[in-house]
Structure formats: C-alpha cells, structure tokens
C-alpha cells in the first residue's frame, strides 16, 4: 500500500512538473464530460417528467381527419362512440392556436368549464363566467399582465375581445401551461369561430384501461374518418420526441466526443521527449517496467478521475440549478415563448457509469500504451531519443 | 519580524507541511473524496427532491392535466407539430411532423419571415365591450 502511495506521490509530482499542460487537459476533458453528462441529464429528466405527468392525460382522444389532416369533429360522433360497451364520460374538447401579432408568439387557447381544484400551481381561479380567462406564466410575462388586468385578443373576425384575467398558473407549472389561455367553452367557441356542432376533438373515458386498444379499434371501424389516439401513444410520442431531440443533441454530443477522441488520440500517438527521457532515467535507476506502467496508470487516473468528477458536478449544477442555460438555445428553436427549465433531478446512475466507462477507461489506456512502448525499450536508446 | 522574513517563514512552513504532513497524494485523495462526497450529496438530495416532487409537484401537474385534458408539454411553441407532437398529422404531403425530412434544405438555414406591417391595438375594432 505504502509503495502504491509513493508511486502516486511520484505521479503527482511528475504531473505538477508539467502543470499548465495538464491543467489545460483537465479543463478540456472536464468540459467535454460536462457537455455529455448535461445532455443525458436533461433528456432523461424531461423524459421521466413527461412520462409521469401525462399518466393522467385522456385515455382516448378521437380526432377527425380529412384529406389526411386533422379536421373539426362533429359533436354527434359522440353518440356513435357511446354505443360501445365499457365507455365512461365522452367530452368534446374546444381548443386551438392563437398567433399573437403584438408579441409574435403563439398561444394555445383551451375551452374548459370544469372547475379546477385548489392547486399550489394556480393563483386566483379558473374562469367561471363569460369574459374571464386563466393564463399561463409565459402569456402573462410577454403581455405584462397579471390577475385583475385585461387580456385583449383578436378573434377570428378580426375584432378585439377583452377578457378579464381571473387566474394565473405559477411558474412551477410552466412545462405544461406556459403558453396556455383557458377560457370558458362558449367563449372559446365564439372566439375561435367554431361552426355550431363542431369540436376540435373528443376525449373518451375507458372504464377498463385494458380495453383501450379494442375500443379504439371499434371506433375506427364505426367512424372510418377518425383517428383514435391512446394515452400510451401520447406517452410513447414523448419518449420518441426526447429521443429525437436527443438525436439533435447528438450533434453536440458527437462534437464533444470527437473533441475527446482527439485529446485521447494525441496522448496515444506518442509521448513527449521529456516524458521518454523521464522513463529512461527511471529504468536506468532500477525501476521495473511494471512500476513505470503503474506510475503512468496513476497519472492517467489522476487526470481522468479529477476531470470526470469535475465534469459531472458541473453538469449537475448546470442542468438542475441553472436550467441547462448552455443547451437551452439549441432546444429552443424558433419558439418565442419558451419555459425556463426547472427540472426535477431524475438521474439515471447507469448513464453516469456509461459516461465514466466511455471516457476514463480510454484515457487511461491511451496514457499507458505509449509509455509501455517506451518502457520496454533499452533505457539508453530511450534517453538518447 | 519584517515582511521578507515573514514571507520566507510562511513559505518554508507551508512547504514543510505539504511535504511532511500533507503529501501530494493526501491532497489529491482529499480533493477526490470531497468531489465524491459532493456528488453523492447532490445525487442523494436530488433523489430526495425527486421523491418529494413525485408526491407534490407531479401530483399538482397531473391534476392540471386531468382537469384540463392536456395531452402535451408546452415546450416548443413555434409550430403545431412541436407544440402538440402527440396530436400531429400522421401522414400528409408536405407534412408537419417531427423528424419528417426537410422538403427544402434551405428551410434549416433561412430565418422566419419578419412581418412588414405591425398590427396595433388602436387599429383593431373591439367586439361587444368598450376599450
């Protein structure tokens, strides 16, 4: 043990002799690991949160399609759907999008007459009378309004309509409600110009969740111009969306990985004359090849472990304390309203080990291999270069 | 003790302490142990807050989802298919769908159109109520 510590001590002294070079390596290496870990932390956390939140999404949504696109659904389709066994409540949903020319942002307008329970994430109340609205934090921020203020929107006829803001979702629910404007159902139909008897889609409560696929199939047979979307499909979509986003993130991920490969390659393709000289001297004064390999192993471990732990700590702080500020512009795209990420720290330890395995092991190997080549050569010829 | 002597004394003592009582390996092991402790503390507190969030925040969010019948996260608001990926069109020529191939490669380079005319609140007639 003492021998090992002495070799570690020697390795540290040797690294400190080239402190600026090694410090630069640690900085680059840590930054690479921080980027890789940030991407994994962010996507994993978003995926888990989406999977958890959307567990309460409607069991089955029926959309009408026309010419391959989503179309408004006649409300009387509900009567056809109701004929199936095992079906609970059937609710037409009235919602749509609103482009706000004043702020150049898109809002989602949703009609709901369901009274909301008391929630920590809701200040004020849900709309209970015509002309009232409940808004998300993003809408309140871009329009610079709050509870008690008026929200003026332009309706489908080009006329301005005033809504009184009676409630506001707090920032902690941004991931769901940032761009949301909740109006009463009648207000929504009037504002968005729904033709009478038409809704955006219909949600169907299925009493036995195991029957969802069967019922979806039956509805599709009874109403061939519809497209049933199950809750499982919604959850799966988010799995895919974050994988796809991860795919886009792969650009950053692969750039960081390439940078790391260049770093490791630089180490693996050769060691400096000074390092060779050092190995020659150590051999000449009686060190074994195994001692030199152990020395180089410790040098590799010191650098890679320090960089790995620094990178992981930085990634954790970056994603979960600073809302992934470096990555946010990449994910944001052209969205004007973009919720700040206040992520719940779901971390997959398996991913942490994978990052460790993919970065620490190759670096240590790339430190040892060229040293091994130098260590098995005659000390004199090594020292002569 | 004048300034120079003090600095000399300080440096000598520091070097002795570092070399004799606190070898470089001890400093390295201490720093690594500190980093590991900090990381473990982060992960543990993260795990705890995730558990707490599961009970409180997620429960509230799930209630919002249930009462309003929401289907998607409000992250990307630039297009229908990014705002509601789960409700987007299945298959349409020139479709809007995540991961669909870009029909025009320029689409990923050209910035969105900036409207020439701004709509102002004054120009907009009001329905029903007085402004």
């Amino acid at each position: 043990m003492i021998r090992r510590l002495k070799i570690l001590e020697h390795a540290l002294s040797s690294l400190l002799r080239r402190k600026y070079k090694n410090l630069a390596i640690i900085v680059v290496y840590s930054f690479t690991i921080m980027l890789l870990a940030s991407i994994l932390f962010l996507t994993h956390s978003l995926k888990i949160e989406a999977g958890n939140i959307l567990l309460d999404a409607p069991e089955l949504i029926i959309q009408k399609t026309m010419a391959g696109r989503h179309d408004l659904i006649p409300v009387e389709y509900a009567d056809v759907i109701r004929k199936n066994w095992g079906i609970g409540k059937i609710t037409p949903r009235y919602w749509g999008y609103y482009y706000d020319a004043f702020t150049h942002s898109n809002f989602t307008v949703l009609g709901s007459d369901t009274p909301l329970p008391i929630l920590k994430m809701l200040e004020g109340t849900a709309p209970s009378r015509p002309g009232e609205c409940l808004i998300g934090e993003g809408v309140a921020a871009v329009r610079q309004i709050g509870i008690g203020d008026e929200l003026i929107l332009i309706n489908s006829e080009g006329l301005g309509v005033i809504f009184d803001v009676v409630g506001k979702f707090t920032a902690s629910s941004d991931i769901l409600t940032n761009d949301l404007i909740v109006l009463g159902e009648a207000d929504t139909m009037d504002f968005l110009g729904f033709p009478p008897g038409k809704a955006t889609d219909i949600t169907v409560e299925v009493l036995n969740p195991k029957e969802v696929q069967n019922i979806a199939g039956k509805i599709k047979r009874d109403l061939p111009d519809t497209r049933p979307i199950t809750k499982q499909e919604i959850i799966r979509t988010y799995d895919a969306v974050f994988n796809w986003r991860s795919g886009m993130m792969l650009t950053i991920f692969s750039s960081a990985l390439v940078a790391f490969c260049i770093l490791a390659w630089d180490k693996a393709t050769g060691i400096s004359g000074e390092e060779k000289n050092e190995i020659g001297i150590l051999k000449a004064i009686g060190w074994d090849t195994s001692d030199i390999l152990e020395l180089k192993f410790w040098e590799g471990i010191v650098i890679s472990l320090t960089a790995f732990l620094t990178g992981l700590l930085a990634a954790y702080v970056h994603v979960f304390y600073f809302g992934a500020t470096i990555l946010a512009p990449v994910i944001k795209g052209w969205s004007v309203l973009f919720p700040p990420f206040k992520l719940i720290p779901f971390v997959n330890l398996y991913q942490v080990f994978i990052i460790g395995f993919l970065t620490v092991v190759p670096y240590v190997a790339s430190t040892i291999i060229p040293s091994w080549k130098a260590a098995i050569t005659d000390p004199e010829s090594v020292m002569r270069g | 003790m004048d300034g120079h002597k003090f600095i000399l004394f300080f440096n000598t003592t520091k070097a002795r302490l570092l070399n004799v009582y606190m070898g470089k390996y001890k400093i390295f092991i201490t720093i690594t142990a500190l980093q590991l402790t900090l990381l473990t503390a982060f992960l543990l507190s993260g795990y705890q807050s995730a558990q707490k969030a599961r009970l409180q925040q997620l429960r509230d969010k799930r209630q919002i989802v249930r009462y309003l019948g929401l289907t998607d996260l409000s992250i990307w608001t630039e297009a229908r298919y990014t705002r509601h990926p789960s409700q987007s069109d299945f298959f349409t020529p020139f479709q809007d769908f995540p991961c669909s191939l870009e029909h025009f490669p320029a689409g990923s380079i050209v910035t969105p159109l900036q409207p020439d005319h701004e709509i102002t609140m004054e120009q907009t007639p009001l329905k029903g109520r007085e402004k």
Side-chain angles (χ1 to χ4, degrees):
Chain A
M1 187 65 190
I2 295 293
R3 184 178 153 276
R4 216 156 262 161
L5 287 175
K6 290 286 177 199
I7 290 181
L8 174 61
E9 178 79 19
H10 189 93
L12 287 164
S13 302
S14 166
L15 289 173
L16 280 174
R17 270 198 298 280
R18 294 177 291 273
K19 53 178 170 286
Y20 294 114
K21 184 192 163 199
N22 288 320
L23 195 68
I25 290 175
I26 289 179
V27 170
V28 175
Y29 196 167
S30 305
F31 186 70
T32 309
I33 289 182
M34 189 198 91
L35 273 184
L36 295 176
S38 296
I39 292 163
L40 291 178
F41 286 166
L42 178 73
T43 48
H44 181 72
S45 180
L46 279 171
K47 200 189 284 186
I48 297 288
E49 186 155 351
N52 273 305
I53 295 172
L54 297 173
L55 278 177
D56 276 6
E59 206 69 64
L60 194 57
I61 294 169
I62 310 297
Q63 274 186 355
K64 181 175 184 280
T65 52
M66 191 183 166
R69 282 181 181 268
H70 176 216
D71 192 25
L72 295 180
I73 193 164
V75 180
E76 60 263 29
Y77 274 24
D79 301 328
V80 183
I81 297 167
R82 199 169 284 119
K83 284 176 189 160
N84 292 295
W85 286 97
I87 280 177
K89 204 173 163 194
I90 299 174
T91 320
R93 291 199 310 165
Y94 301 91
W95 62 274
Y97 302 103
Y98 174 80
Y99 174 68
D100 188 39
F102 306 122
T103 57
H104 306 298
S105 39
N106 293 314
F107 301 149
T108 300
V109 180
L110 175 75
S112 172
D113 286 338
T114 319
L116 277 168
I118 296 167
L119 296 171
K120 274 188 187 168
M121 294 179 174
L122 173 65
E123 288 170 12
T125 56
S128 54
R129 282 184 301 211
E132 288 183 347
C133 72
L134 162 65
I135 55 175
E137 175 75 21
V139 180
V142 289
R143 278 301 195 92
Q144 297 177 340
I145 50 174
I147 297 174
D149 292 333
E150 288 177 341
L151 173 69
I152 304 176
L153 303 172
I154 299 171
N155 73 4
S156 55
E157 293 159 8
L159 300 170
V161 185
I162 300 175
F163 294 100
D164 297 317
V165 181
V166 291
K168 185 167 84 90
F169 286 109
T170 60
S172 50
S173 69
D174 271 355
I175 201 162
L176 277 172
T177 59
N178 197 41
D179 70 334
L180 211 58
I181 298 174
V182 182
L183 308 174
E185 269 179 16
D187 274 353
T188 308
M189 289 162 75
D190 186 43
F191 176 73
L192 295 176
F194 274 80
K198 295 277 180 85
T200 310
D201 48 32
I202 293 175
T203 63
V204 179
E205 187 191 3
V206 179
L207 300 178
N208 179 2
K210 286 180 186 165
E211 287 293 320
V212 172
Q213 288 298 340
N214 274 340
I215 291 172
K218 281 179 189 167
I219 293 172
K220 180 74 187 159
R221 267 202 305 278
D222 296 342
L223 300 164
D225 60 347
T226 58
R227 173 191 168 206
I229 302 169
T230 65
K231 185 163 72 181
Q232 284 313 313
E233 272 179 308
I234 293 173
I235 293 172
R236 256 205 329 271
T237 304
Y238 271 86
D239 234 35
V241 164
F242 289 118
N243 279 338
W244 174 72
R245 289 279 156 182
S246 295
M248 202 180 91
M249 291 286 219
L250 203 66
T251 323
I252 310 173
F253 195 87
S254 48
S255 312
L257 214 60
V258 166
F260 173 74
C261 288
I262 292 169
L263 187 80
W265 179 252
D266 184 52
K267 289 286 288 178
T269 45
I271 48 176
S272 67
E274 195 191 339
E275 281 175 278
K276 274 187 187 167
N277 218 5
E278 191 185 319
I279 291 171
I281 292 168
L282 290 174
K283 285 277 284 187
I285 60 170
W287 282 49
D288 283 341
T289 304
S290 63
D291 295 333
I292 290 168
L293 291 187
E294 196 175 335
L295 173 74
K296 290 295 161 185
F297 168 78
W298 282 114
E299 280 185 14
I301 284 287
V302 167
I303 289 196
S304 52
L305 195 64
T306 309
F308 175 66
L309 291 173
T310 311
L312 274 187
L313 285 169
Y316 193 94
V317 172
H318 168 232
V319 173
F320 297 119
Y321 288 92
F322 290 102
T325 37
I326 299 176
L327 298 178
V330 182
I331 314 167
K332 188 177 173 181
W334 297 119
S335 308
V336 175
L337 281 184
F338 188 72
F341 286 128
K342 292 185 193 74
L343 296 165
I344 300 170
F346 294 111
V347 176
N348 189 350
L349 282 181
Y350 173 71
Q351 288 180 338
V352 173
F353 286 120
I354 291 286
I355 298 176
F357 188 76
L358 283 179
T359 51
V360 173
V361 176
Y363 188 83
V364 174
S366 67
T367 316
I368 292 178
I369 293 164
S371 307
W372 170 71
K373 275 188 194 163
I376 54 168
T377 321
D378 178 47
E380 197 192 339
S381 59
V382 171
M383 278 190 279
R384 282 177 193 278
Chain B
M1 197 185 283
D2 61 26
H4 286 291
K5 276 187 180 169
F6 176 74
I7 291 169
L8 191 66
F9 172 75
F10 177 76
N11 283 339
T12 322
T13 318
K14 191 177 85 178
R16 276 187 192 152
L17 277 172
L18 284 178
N19 286 328
V20 180
Y21 300 109
M22 197 76 182
K24 290 185 193 83
Y25 73 90
K26 285 186 186 167
I27 298 174
F28 168 70
I29 290 171
T30 313
I31 291 174
T32 308
L34 274 176
Q35 283 185 314
L36 271 174
T37 315
L38 199 59
L39 189 65
T40 315
F42 272 146
L43 291 177
L44 281 178
S45 74
Y47 178 75
Q48 269 185 340
S49 59
Q51 293 303 316
K52 220 167 105 182
R54 257 185 225 275
L55 295 173
Q56 292 176 355
Q57 269 195 45
L58 289 183
R59 191 185 54 197
D60 276 16
K61 284 180 189 170
R62 282 175 67 170
Q63 275 193 311
I64 294 176
V65 168
R66 186 163 63 241
Y67 279 90
L68 296 180
L70 303 181
T71 52
D72 290 86
L73 301 186
S74 163
I75 298 181
W76 304 284
T77 54
E78 66 247 73
R80 281 180 300 144
Y81 66 96
T82 57
R83 175 62 180 89
H84 289 97
S86 75
Q87 312 291 299
S88 53
D89 294 345
F90 244 153
F91 188 85
T92 314
F94 297 99
Q95 64 178 307
D96 298 334
F97 199 73
C99 229
S100 64
L101 288 174
E102 184 71 77
H103 296 285
F104 309 103
S108 43
I109 302 163
V110 179
T111 54
L113 180 74
Q114 295 298 317
D116 288 339
H117 54 280
E118 300 286 318
I119 301 169
T120 60
M121 205 65 86
E122 282 72 31
Q123 294 167 346
T124 313
L126 280 179
K127 187 189 176 191
R129 289 162 67 167
E130 286 300 315
K131 203 181 281 188

